[in-house]
Amino acid sequence: MQNIAFYLSAVLILWCALRCVSSPYIFRSALYLAAALSLTAVQYVLMEAYFVAVVQILVYVGAVIILIVFAVMLTAQLGEGNISQSNSLALPGFLVAGGFGWGLVALLRGFDWTKVTPGPATPGALSTDSNIMAIGRALTGDYVYPFEIIGLLLFTALIGAVLIARKDPQ
Amino acid sequence: MNLINTLTLSGILFAIGVYGLVTRRNAVGVLMATELLLNSVNLNLVAFNHYLHPAGLGGQMFTLFTITVAAAEATVALALVVALFRARRSVMVEDINQLKW
């Protein structure tokens, strides 16, 4: 069952990602990106990262995709279907990306994974309960400074975005 | 459904993202390819957390922070795209050449 879910979602993610980078319409491309990101949440659930899966749906599909769709609508050019959304580098791009991906996959398939020893097994509190409680503790404990700094970063990015995108006063 | 399969998925996803980064003309399309790249890296981090260090939370925390940074990056990038469109009436990256000497 888990294997079926894994392979099905993996194939769908790859197909949606391919359509996302190759679709001639940028709006459809955004929808395919939403599908690929939602299906990635399935992968997270399979790896028992429930909180990350929920955050993925909320932040990516709920916020980033909406932003992208808004940007597409605000910048759409008339007769968009006639304008090519891809440049003429399809073959060199395919060679570069294909070579890169082939190298990556060959590297990790060729690596001797028996040399890597997994960490200690999950202690009882983490395995019986979901680890959402542990994440909450970590966010207010070990990771409190990154947490605060990331909040500052988001704040700065929001102000910067408003400043950049607003109309000139005159 | 093991570490190597998940890493393979993430590697292929990264390659697709690189392809999109190279071939898109639309700045929004380039941004979408960047999101694919970040997504594949997140998958990587969670996989390592789950299969190699199941007692820890490091990979998941990193993923949460990466998602947040990706959201901030998307906000600023899309604001830039909207401002560019207002100034140049185009979002194609080859039209944006004022700083190119």
Side-chain angles (χ1 to χ4, degrees), chain A:
Chain A
M1 182 61 200
Q2 287 203 327
N3 273 324
I4 296 172
F6 175 83
Y7 286 112
L8 195 63
S9 64
V11 169
L12 282 174
I13 288 171
L14 291 180
W15 185 73
C16 289
L18 264 181
R19 295 290 296 152
C20 172
V21 297
S22 65
S23 168
Y25 299 94
I26 204 73
F27 187 75
R28 284 185 201 175
S29 185
L31 296 185
Y32 278 115
L33 179 68
L37 295 176
S38 315
L39 286 161
T40 311
V42 175
Q43 295 280 336
Y44 292 151
V45 170
L46 285 175
M47 290 189 282
E48 294 171 0
Y50 304 115
F51 187 69
V52 178
V54 171
V55 168
Q56 169 95 2
I57 299 267
L58 272 179
V59 175
Y60 264 130
V61 186
V64 173
I65 294 291
I66 299 292
L67 263 182
I68 288 178
V69 166
F70 264 106
V72 169
M73 287 175 174
L74 284 175
T75 62
Q77 285 150 342
L78 292 175
E80 199 198 337
N82 303 325
I83 301 173
S84 172
Q85 297 291 335
S86 301
N87 57 23
S88 53
L89 289 175
L91 184 64
F94 177 76
L95 288 179
V96 168
F100 186 70
W102 180 81
L104 269 182
V105 174
L107 254 181
L108 47 99
R109 293 261 164 194
F111 184 70
D112 184 15
W113 288 97
T114 54
K115 282 191 296 194
V116 181
T117 50
T122 317
L126 267 176
S127 66
T128 52
D129 213 356
S130 75
N131 54 10
I132 293 177
M133 199 182 279
I135 286 182
R137 285 220 186 81
L139 271 182
T140 49
D142 287 348
Y143 293 91
V144 65
Y145 291 121
F147 185 62
E148 296 290 335
I149 291 169
I150 213 92
L152 195 64
L153 174 77
L154 260 181
F155 184 60
T156 321
L158 282 180
I159 293 179
V162 171
L163 271 181
I164 291 169
R166 72 169 182 176
K167 284 201 176 90
D168 280 332
Q170 63 272 12

Side-chain angles (χ1 to χ4, degrees), chain A residues 119-123 126 131 134-135 143, chain B residues 48-50 52-61:
Chain A
T122 317
L126 267 176
N131 54 10
I135 286 182
Y143 293 91
Chain B
F48 276 120
N49 191 164
H50 182 248
L52 290 187
H53 195 219
L57 283 172
Q60 293 190 31
M61 301 309 282

Side-chain angles (χ1 to χ4, degrees), chain B residues 18-85:
Chain B
V18 170
Y19 175 78
L21 208 59
V22 176
T23 57
R24 276 297 188 198
R25 282 177 73 215
N26 194 323
V28 184
V30 175
L31 182 78
M32 284 194 248
T34 319
E35 297 292 336
L36 274 181
L37 295 183
L38 287 166
N39 191 46
S40 81
V41 173
N42 287 342
L43 203 57
N44 234 342
L45 291 171
V46 175
F48 276 120
N49 191 164
H50 182 248
Y51 291 109
L52 290 187
H53 195 219
L57 283 172
Q60 293 190 31
M61 301 309 282
F62 250 101
T63 306
L64 292 177
F65 290 132
T66 319
I67 290 175
T68 319
V69 173
E73 170 247 332
T75 317
V76 175
L78 293 173
L80 279 174
V81 168
V82 170
L84 265 177
F85 183 72

